[in-house]
Amino acid sequence: MSSFLEVWRPAGSDLVPLSGERITIGRSEENDVVLSDDGQVSRVHAVLEPLAGGWSVRDVGSSNGTFVNGKRLASEVRLTAGDEVRVGRTRIVLRGNPGAKDPGATETTVLPPQLTPRERDVLVALFRPMAAGEMFAEPASTRAIAQELWVSEAAVKQHLLRLYDKFGVVDGERRRTRLANEAIRRGAISLAEVRAAPAPPGATPTS
C-alpha cells in the first residue's frame, strides 16, 4: 500500500499522497500541505523526508513546535503507520507506511546495547547512505565502511558480527539494512549524528 497523510484540519479532513523528495507543511501556499486556515502554524512549519523505505519528520524552527504522538520534537524522528503529527490545531496521521506497526499496539522501548567508540563509528558509516534522503537507499558496504574509517575490511566484518549479536539481528536477507534500522530505532545513533558526522580522517588503514 502506498503511504499517505490523513490531514485533519479545523474545517475537515483530506488525504495527501507521500511522494517525491520531501513534503513541506505550513501556512504558506508554497507548501505541499497548506494549512492557511490554522493560525498556530508557521509559514513553513515542518518537513517530511524519505528515509530508508519510510519517512521522517522534523520541525523547521516553527513558533509553536511540532509534536509526534503528543511529544514535542527535539530532533528528526522516523515515522511508522499510525503515528500522529500535530502542528498547531491540525492533526496529521501517517497511513500505509511499509513495515508499519499496528496503530493500536503499545510499543515497548528497548534500550540500545553498550557500544565501543569504534562500533558507533561503524554504525554511523553503515547508516550514512540511508540518511541521504533516497527512498530505497542501501546501507554502506563493508568496503565503503573500511575506506571511511581507514581500517581493513576484515576488521569491519568483525565489528559487524559483534553488532549483529548485540542488536539480535539473526542471519537472513538484508542483514546490514536490518542492523542499521535497529540502531536508529533503539536510539544507538541518531539521524542528526549521522548527517553531521564528517568522515573520520586517517593516514593508513589498520586492522
Side-chain angles (χ1 to χ4, degrees), residues 3 33 35 48 85 90 119 122 135 144-145 150 167 171 177 202:
S3 301
V33 179
L35 304 176
L48 277 75
V85 179
T90 303
E119 286 170 346
V122 169
M135 175 66 85
I145 296 171
W150 288 85
F167 284 91
D171 290 336
T177 300

Side-chain angles (χ1 to χ4, degrees), residues 3-206:
S3 301
F4 62 92
L5 299 176
E6 188 175 7
V7 182
W8 293 86
R9 309 168 187 268
S13 65
D14 58 353
L15 303 179
V16 177
L18 280 171
S19 60
E21 295 184 357
R22 67 177 190 166
I23 300 291
T24 58
I25 301 169
R27 201 172 64 250
S28 169
E29 295 292 334
E30 297 177 355
N31 289 288
D32 300 293
V33 179
V34 180
L35 304 176
S36 55
D37 57 348
D38 190 335
Q40 297 181 18
V41 173
S42 297
R43 188 181 66 82
V44 180
H45 197 106
V47 61
L48 277 75
E49 296 175 306
L51 173 67
W55 289 82
S56 68
V57 62
R58 59 183 171 89
D59 188 86
V60 288
S62 68
S63 298
N64 296 314
T66 300
F67 298 78
V68 174
N69 299 329
K71 183 176 180 180
R72 185 165 184 161
L73 291 183
S75 60
E76 189 170 16
V77 170
R78 180 171 179 169
L79 298 173
T80 53
D83 281 343
E84 179 185 286
V85 179
R86 182 169 62 81
V87 294
R89 295 175 295 155
T90 303
R91 294 171 52 243
I92 302 172
V93 182
L94 178 65
R95 302 296 188 192
N97 193 32
K101 69 183 180 184
D102 181 354
T106 300
E107 185 173 344
T108 302
T109 300
V110 181
L111 296 176
Q114 289 189 338
L115 302 174
T116 67
R118 179 55 82 189
E119 286 170 346
R120 287 183 59 81
D121 289 343
V122 169
L123 286 177
V124 169
L126 177 72
F127 198 86
R128 193 185 301 279
M130 301 171 72
E134 294 293 333
M135 175 66 85
F136 299 109
E138 293 292 329
S141 66
T142 301
R143 174 175 294 182
I145 296 171
Q147 291 175 342
E148 176 172 325
L149 301 182
W150 288 85
V151 298
S152 67
E153 291 185 43
V156 172
K157 290 178 181 178
Q158 288 301 313
H159 287 304
L160 287 174
L161 287 174
R162 286 193 291 269
L163 288 166
Y164 292 142
D165 182 63
K166 287 186 176 184
F167 284 91
V169 178
V170 298
D171 290 336
E173 295 182 356
R174 302 177 66 80
R175 201 176 184 191
R176 285 181 298 110
T177 300
R178 287 185 284 130
L179 173 61
N181 286 331
E182 188 68 8
I184 285 288
R185 186 185 72 82
R186 293 173 60 177
I189 56 175
S190 68
L191 296 176
E193 177 183 9
V194 173
R195 288 173 173 168
T204 304
T206 60

